[in-house]
Amino acid sequence: MTDASVHAASATSSEPRGDLCIRTLAMPADTNANGDIFGGWLLSQMDVGGGVFASKVAKSRTVTVAIEAMNFRKAVYVGDLVSVYANLVRGGRTSMTVHLEAWVLRRREEQPILVTDGNFTYVSIDDDGRPQAIKRDGAPIMT
């Protein structure tokens, strides 16, 4: 990951938005050949956090079916505290789109930094792995 991102739009928020889904510490084993945290590791942390959020919304098992619009905005370094936040963007009959933001708190820093964000789509599944309708408070979710 680099600090420059050709495809990333400018960050619009100075603080995390949404539900905190996961928090973890970036460790030396998670680095790429340049010594920065590997983008794939960060992506997997976001997917874990998004899966936690999606399962909570769907009140069932969920699976990831798509990842889109990923913006790698800043590098993540060993020792950074990584937090993933989720917001429901769209709810359908069996699927939902969740906007995920990964923020870091660096040592000796007081303000969190947005490092990555993107949209993940999850599908609610039954015990046999088939898509099922998402229920929220007794009614299907629609946004």
Side-chain angles (χ1 to χ4, degrees):
M1 293 175 24
T2 62
D3 280 332
S5 180
V6 175
H7 303 289
S10 63
T12 59
S13 178
S14 61
E15 61 184 46
R17 294 173 298 165
D19 293 356
L20 176 63
C21 298
I22 192 171
R23 182 170 281 157
T24 189
L25 190 63
M27 300 295 286
D30 307 318
T31 59
N32 61 25
N34 297 319
D36 299 329
I37 296 302
F38 177 55
W41 176 85
L42 184 56
L43 185 71
S44 72
Q45 297 303 309
M46 293 176 74
D47 192 27
V48 168
V52 167
F53 178 82
S55 290
K56 179 179 161 186
V57 169
K59 296 177 179 53
S60 70
R61 291 175 54 199
T62 58
V63 293
T64 308
V65 295
I67 299 173
E68 59 181 297
M70 289 299 300
N71 298 307
F72 291 92
R73 300 175 184 278
K74 301 275 185 186
V76 178
Y77 304 111
V78 171
D80 284 353
L81 183 61
V82 179
S83 300
V84 176
Y85 295 84
N87 282 298
L88 183 65
V89 173
R90 182 197 66 80
R93 194 180 75 75
T94 62
S95 67
M96 70 184 80
T97 300
V98 177
H99 183 74
L100 296 168
E101 298 180 350
W103 291 74
V104 299
L105 189 57
R106 302 198 200 282
R107 284 180 269 184
R108 297 181 292 278
E109 296 280 334
E110 293 182 17
Q111 296 297 318
I113 301 165
L114 176 63
V115 292
T116 307
D117 66 303
N119 293 328
F120 289 57
T121 302
Y122 298 91
V123 170
S124 174
I125 60 171
D126 63 20
D127 291 338
D128 296 320
R130 292 187 300 259
Q132 67 178 2
I134 298 170
K135 300 283 188 194
R136 184 179 218 176
D137 299 327
I141 64 168
M142 297 290 177
T143 60

